[in-house]
Amino acid sequence: SPIFTPMKNTSLVKLFFTFIIIITAASYCFAQTMVKDINIGFGDSEPSHFVRMGNLTYFIANDAVHGFELWVTDGTESGTGMVKDIANGTASSCQYTSMHGIQITGLQALGKALYFFANDGNAGFELWRSDGTESGTMIVKDIFPGKISSCVDLNLVKAGNFLYFAAHDGVHGTELWRTDGTDTGTVIVKDLNPGIKDSNPQYFFADSNVLYFGANDGVNGYGIWKSDGTEAGTVYLKNAAPTLTGGDLILYTKCKGEIYFSGNTLDNGTELWKTDGIPGGTVLVKDIIPGKEGGSPVGLTTFKDQVVFAASTPLCGIELWKSDGMESGTMMVKDICHGPGSSNPYGLTVLKDKMYFVAKDSLHGAELWVTDLSDTGTHLFMNIDTAITGSTEPKNLYLAGNEIYFTAKDAKRGFELWETDGTIAGTKMLNEICLGNCS
């Protein structure tokens, strides 16, 4: 019998974990309460990768009995349970360990089903689907037949009516695949690097029904591609490889109909590029550091019809920049930490007519800042605790309704959950979840 079968009619999700918030209406004020002690006692269940489907929220967790598996919640303790023990016993079906570290599968909803990668011990890591019940949780396709895994990059991205991912089937190398959720509809899109060699598609970005990604076809080197899900519609744009620098995971944004990305070339290093979806319209916006070093833009965010990001120069370090898409209109917003020192802005989040982010200057550690993209309008928003030595380190900025939620620490209460509505009076700790100076 199923370990957990969700009811057909459930209340709206009210799921609150320390770092994950889902708020359905800004006018309500919910208390922060633990939904369920999944790993009973002091052990961690490490819930992650939350995805809403219908009135339920799905996630991956470990109860120390079944390993990392697929779970579901309706926001109540009794309505929170494991969907299926895919890898029997304490083995984890949804956790993959490789030479690059430990990965937890991502979750994506398509239609009325949830998709993810899992290993049941018989077929390796392959694509699975679930309708939220034990009997309705099953493998979609064993792409690489047998126990060898076809998927080692456990990421799925939705573009149009398909989910895209990287996989290898033993005949082709690691290439771009797509699925409509069926066995026959799970197919290789294009063998970019023909034969058993890999094109290694990665760094996906969906724009409506078009997918942008980085890949190496063995001829042009690693560059940016786009695909509409067909072989003919999968085309090479430019030898400007989408790439991440540092820990910021945002390297694409859409602004005024064009896709901006952090791209790397041998001649320019990692700089700001843009594309209108055709090879001739894929161009370097600005060589921030002339030559091969590169300004390494990260955190690309659209605000006021401009692309805002962090970038580095030898004279000013890593600071806040903006671009209107033209070389002349790509400039530093403000040298927050004067001179070659870096303010290291991150967490760029738009609330109403302002952008909030975390940065440090010569007087303060990492604190919450605000900008309207002018020099004078870029300033420290709030030092959460003036008594603390160093910084309060706001992190995990997340916009929900008319508030930004984040984690921060003060001297007496450690890291806890905070919110701001963009005013000093409206910036406060929501609840001291772990009493005292623990976090």
Side-chain angles (χ1 to χ4, degrees):
S1 62
I3 295 174
F4 178 79
T5 303
M7 296 176 62
K8 291 182 179 179
N9 297 312
T10 59
S11 61
L12 291 176
V13 174
K14 303 174 186 176
L15 176 61
F16 293 86
F17 288 98
T18 305
F19 297 110
I20 304 295
I21 307 167
I22 299 174
I23 295 182
T24 58
S27 59
Y28 293 102
C29 181
F30 297 125
Q32 295 76 55
T33 56
M34 183 170 68
V35 176
K36 185 170 185 171
D37 188 6
I38 293 173
N39 189 343
I40 298 172
F42 198 70
D44 303 325
S45 67
E46 302 181 54
S48 66
H49 296 74
F50 297 85
V51 170
R52 177 77 171 269
M53 188 172 72
N55 288 331
L56 299 172
T57 294
Y58 295 83
F59 59 99
I60 305 298
N62 181 2
D63 64 0
V65 177
H66 302 96
F68 285 92
E69 299 289 350
L70 180 66
W71 284 65
V72 65
T73 184
D74 63 2
T76 68
E77 182 175 6
S78 61
T80 302
M82 187 175 65
V83 177
K84 184 173 183 173
D85 186 15
I86 295 173
N88 293 330
T90 57
S92 296
S93 72
C94 296
Q95 183 188 63
Y96 178 79
T97 303
S98 71
M99 60 183 295
H100 303 294
I102 297 175
Q103 295 184 50
I104 300 294
T105 182
L107 305 175
Q108 280 283 0
L110 181 68
K112 296 182 179 180
L114 187 75
Y115 295 84
F116 57 100
F117 296 108
N119 184 351
D120 62 1
N122 297 313
F125 274 94
E126 299 291 347
L127 184 66
W128 282 63
R129 63 176 287 163
S130 177
D131 63 1
T133 67
E134 182 180 41
S135 61
T137 302
M138 63 193 71
I139 191 169
V140 175
K141 185 170 189 170
D142 190 3
I143 294 172
F144 198 130
K147 293 190 175 183
I148 298 177
S149 300
S150 71
C151 305
V152 293
D153 181 10
L154 308 183
N155 294 309
L156 284 164
V157 64
K158 180 180 177 181
N161 296 320
F162 298 108
L163 297 178
Y164 293 86
F165 56 99
H168 68 103
D169 58 5
V171 178
H172 309 90
T174 301
E175 298 291 348
L176 182 67
W177 284 65
R178 74 167 203 211
T179 185
D180 62 3
T182 66
D183 183 308
T184 56
T186 302
V187 296
I188 187 171
V189 177
K190 188 172 184 175
D191 190 8
L192 301 180
N193 198 343
I196 198 64
K197 293 179 289 187
D198 304 320
S199 71
N200 285 320
Q202 57 184 326
Y203 301 142
F204 298 146
F205 177 76
D207 176 33
S208 186
N209 63 339
V210 177
L211 180 76
Y212 291 87
F213 61 100
N216 186 347
D217 63 1
V219 177
N220 297 293
Y222 182 60
I224 187 167
W225 291 68
K226 79 166 188 177
S227 177
D228 63 2
T230 67
E231 182 174 5
T234 302
V235 296
Y236 168 77
L237 297 178
K238 187 76 77 173
N239 190 18
T243 185
L244 292 174
T245 56
D248 201 309
L249 300 179
I250 305 174
L251 73 160
Y252 294 95
T253 193
K254 186 176 182 179
C255 183
K256 294 182 290 188
E258 295 182 301
I259 307 300
Y260 289 75
F261 64 100
S262 182
N264 181 276
T265 65
L266 293 176
D267 293 332
N268 303 109
T270 302
E271 295 289 2
L272 183 66
W273 285 71
K274 67 178 181 178
T275 182
D276 59 4
I278 62 175
T282 305
V283 296
L284 176 68
V285 177
K286 183 169 184 169
D287 195 5
I288 294 172
I289 301 180
K292 297 183 178 182
E293 185 175 348
S296 300
V298 293
L300 277 61
T301 306
T302 299
F303 176 50
K304 291 187 173 182
D305 283 337
Q306 298 201 62
V307 177
V308 189
F309 56 97
S312 174
T313 61
L315 293 178
C316 298
I318 303 171
E319 295 294 347
L320 191 68
W321 282 65
K322 64 181 180 180
S323 176
D324 62 2
M326 304 296 291
E327 182 179 11
S328 60
T330 302
M331 62 191 73
M332 186 171 61
V333 176
K334 185 170 187 170
D335 188 6
I336 295 172
C337 191
H338 298 296
S342 297
S343 68
N344 289 313
Y346 66 87
L348 280 59
T349 306
V350 178
L351 174 62
K352 300 173 185 175
D353 61 344
K354 300 288 177 64
M355 172 177 277
Y356 296 81
F357 62 100
V358 182
K360 62 180 181 179
D361 61 13
S362 56
L363 299 177
H364 310 89
E367 299 293 348
L368 201 59
W369 282 64
V370 64
T371 184
D372 61 6
L373 298 187
S374 70
D375 183 292
T376 56
T378 303
H379 56 83
L380 179 69
F381 173 70
M382 183 176 180
N383 188 349
I384 289 174
D385 187 356
T386 56
I388 200 167
T389 301
S391 65
T392 59
E393 300 180 54
K395 297 178 181 178
N396 309 303
L397 276 66
Y398 183 85
L399 178 68
N402 292 317
E403 285 85 27
I404 294 174
Y405 295 82
F406 59 97
T407 58
K409 68 178 179 180
D410 63 17
K412 296 181 179 180
R413 298 174 292 192
F415 277 101
E416 295 293 349
L417 184 63
W418 287 67
E419 71 171 354
T420 183
D421 61 3
T423 67
I424 299 299
T427 303
K428 59 185 182 294
M429 188 179 73
L430 283 172
N431 188 19
E432 188 177 3
I433 295 171
C434 190
L435 299 178
N437 61 4
C438 71
S439 297

